[in-house]
Amino acid sequence: MLRRNILITGASSGIGLGLAREFAARGRNLALCARRLDRLTELRDVLTKTYPEITVEVRQLDVTDPSRVHEVFEDFRSALGSLDRIIVNAGIAGGGPIGRASDEEGNLALLRTNVLGSYLQCSAAMSILREQNAGHLVLMSSMSAKRGLPGPLATYAASKAAVASFGQSLGADAVGTPIVVTTLYPGYIRTEMTDTSGGEIPFIIEADLGTRLLAKAIEREPGSAIVPSWPWKPIAATVRLLPTRVVAKLS
C-alpha cells in the first residue's frame, strides 16, 4: 500500500530531516513539524523546488504541549486530506546520572519530550488513524531501549524504552484492524545529536545511509525493526544477558 501523505515530527534536523528528504525523493506529500520553524521553512522550499510534484506543509510544534499536538496533527490532516503515515520521531538526548542535582533539569526536560511528548503524539495519531480506519504509525525508539544503561545514559535509555512500550501496546491494540504500528530501534546514526556527544561512537553510520535504511524498513511496515541489522541484532540479543557489572562499564 502506498502511503502518500506522511507526517514527520522532529523534522528540522537529524533522522527526521533525513526521512523528509528520503520520502520527498519517493514522491510523497509531507507534513513536517518541529520547534524550529525557520529550518522547516527552508527545508520546504528546497524540497518543493527539487520535487515540484509534491506538497510540503510545515508547522511549528512543541510536542510537550497537549492541545497544540492535537491541533497541529488535525491541521495537517485538513491540509492534505488524510494522514497515511505518522512518524513519531521528535526527541532529545542529554541529561545525566540520576540523583545528581546538576542534571535534574536536563533529565526532566528529556523525559517531558521523549515520554510525555511521544505519548501526546501517539494519542493524536491514533485518534486520527482510528477515525480514518486506516494508516501506519511509526515510533522511533533506540537500541538504548534494549537494556537499562548506567550514568549519563540512564534517563535517555528509560525514555526510549517507554517509546518502545507505547509501540508494542498500540501494535497489540491495532491487531485485526487496518492500522499498522511499527517500532524502530536505530543504532548509532550520525546527526547533530551524536556530533555533540563527544568521544568515539562505536558502529556509527553516516546520516544518509542511516535514514535510507530507516525509510526502507518503514516501507516494509514490520511490527518492529532494528536498523541497521548488523551489528545491532546480535548486540540486542546479547545485551539482555550481560551481567550488571558488565553493563556498568557501558557508560
Side-chain angles (χ1 to χ4, degrees), residues 44-226:
R44 177 197 62 196
D45 293 346
V46 169
L47 293 179
T48 53
K49 182 176 181 180
T50 307
Y51 310 104
E53 72 279 8
I54 71 170
T55 299
V56 180
E57 295 282 338
V58 298
R59 302 286 187 278
Q60 191 277 337
L61 178 62
D62 178 348
V63 296
T64 67
D65 183 338
S67 61
R68 182 66 178 157
V69 174
H70 283 264
E71 177 187 340
V72 167
F73 279 35
E74 288 289 352
D75 194 28
F76 278 141
R77 178 167 64 157
S78 296
L80 296 180
S82 68
L83 293 175
D84 306 317
R85 174 178 289 143
I86 298 173
I87 303 176
V88 174
N89 168 73
I92 61 174
I98 295 171
R100 195 163 68 184
S102 60
D103 293 308
E104 189 77 358
E105 276 305 310
N107 286 335
L108 290 173
L110 191 152
L111 290 169
R112 280 191 291 267
T113 299
N114 293 6
V115 181
L116 174 62
S118 293
Y119 165 78
L120 294 172
Q121 293 169 77
C122 287
S123 176
M126 289 302 292
S127 176
I128 289 171
L129 298 184
R130 285 173 177 147
E131 188 175 324
Q132 294 177 164
N133 198 33
H136 183 203
L137 176 63
V138 180
L139 291 90
M140 199 67 62
S141 182
S142 165
M143 282 300 301
S144 301
K146 294 294 184 178
R147 176 74 184 259
L149 297 173
L153 301 176
T155 304
Y156 180 76
S159 74
K160 287 300 186 177
V163 173
S165 185
F166 288 149
Q168 292 159 7
S169 299
L170 293 172
D173 285 342
V175 169
T177 77
I179 298 169
V180 180
V181 180
T182 296
T183 303
L184 295 178
Y185 299 88
Y188 294 128
I189 297 172
R190 194 175 302 282
T191 63
E192 290 179 21
M193 197 180 295
T194 61
D195 287 344
T196 59
S197 64
E200 287 293 322
I201 300 177
F203 310 121
I204 193 167
I205 60 175
E206 294 303 315
D208 287 350
L209 175 59
T211 50
R212 187 163 65 249
L213 293 173
L214 286 168
K216 184 177 179 180
I218 289 169
E219 294 280 61
R220 294 200 312 270
E221 302 193 359
S224 66
I226 293 172

